Amino acid sequence: MGAWIMLLALLTMVGEWYGRCYGCLEEERIGLLEIQSLIDPIHLSLGDWVDNSNCCEWRGIECDNTTRRVIQLSLWWARDFRLGDWVLNASLFQPFKELQSLDLGWNGLVGCLENEGWFNVSALNYNHKINEGWLVGV
């Protein structure tokens, strides 16, 4: 009986470790890599955003220790300015269900696309911290 308990405990620990080895949840990792491909396609400022690495340790990312969800996303000055002005598609932030802080300052943001999905910017703005400078022209 003791061997079964030890085996169960070992499998539980391995399962916990495996589930946390890449940090944030898969849907959020995919979302982060999509954002990276749009704002830093040649990996000048977000070079540590590499698939198969712990996305909670990437530059500008903070995750909740319990849920592993991204709670802070700081992309201050992350966008390659050679791309020109940025019109934000707010649906890029849909995967981040527990996002509390968003900083998109100094990225050449000039507005938002309409009807490109839904992201509750107003809730983030009033209930949590947001860099208001990114809302220029909205």
Side-chain angles (χ1 to χ4, degrees):
M1 185 73 155
W4 284 109
I5 292 173
M6 285 182 56
L7 179 62
L8 182 60
L10 178 65
L11 290 174
T12 301
M13 288 185 335
V14 168
E16 283 291 311
W17 174 81
Y18 180 75
R20 295 179 190 273
C21 65
Y22 291 132
C24 62
L25 302 178
E26 185 65 17
E27 70 176 306
E28 293 184 339
R29 176 195 334 285
I30 291 168
L32 290 169
L33 291 171
E34 184 177 351
I35 289 169
Q36 179 197 37
S37 71
L38 293 172
I39 69 171
D40 188 26
I42 57 175
H43 311 290
L44 292 174
S45 61
L46 302 176
D48 63 331
W49 287 29
V50 179
D51 203 7
N52 298 325
S53 65
N54 184 345
C55 44
C56 290
E57 294 178 357
W58 293 350
R59 175 188 172 270
I61 307 299
E62 183 180 329
C63 297
D64 181 276
N65 291 331
T66 304
T67 65
R68 297 181 310 149
R69 288 207 169 264
V70 173
I71 58 172
Q72 180 174 320
L73 182 52
S74 178
L75 297 173
W76 185 81
W77 212 308
R79 190 162 182 275
D80 185 347
F81 274 94
R82 294 174 292 184
L83 298 173
D85 290 340
W86 184 19
V87 179
L88 179 68
N89 178 348
S91 68
L92 289 171
F93 301 101
Q94 283 181 318
F96 310 106
K97 307 291 188 231
E98 294 182 18
L99 188 63
Q100 298 172 8
S101 177
L102 177 62
D103 186 347
L104 298 173
W106 294 93
N107 283 298
L109 192 61
V110 295
C112 292
L113 294 174
E114 293 183 29
N115 301 319
E116 292 293 325
W118 183 84
F119 174 69
N120 193 350
V121 173
S122 61
L124 183 64
N125 191 22
Y126 293 111
N127 297 328
H128 303 290
K129 177 186 165 200
I130 189 168
N131 180 342
E132 296 175 11
W134 75 270
L135 291 172
V136 174
V138 178

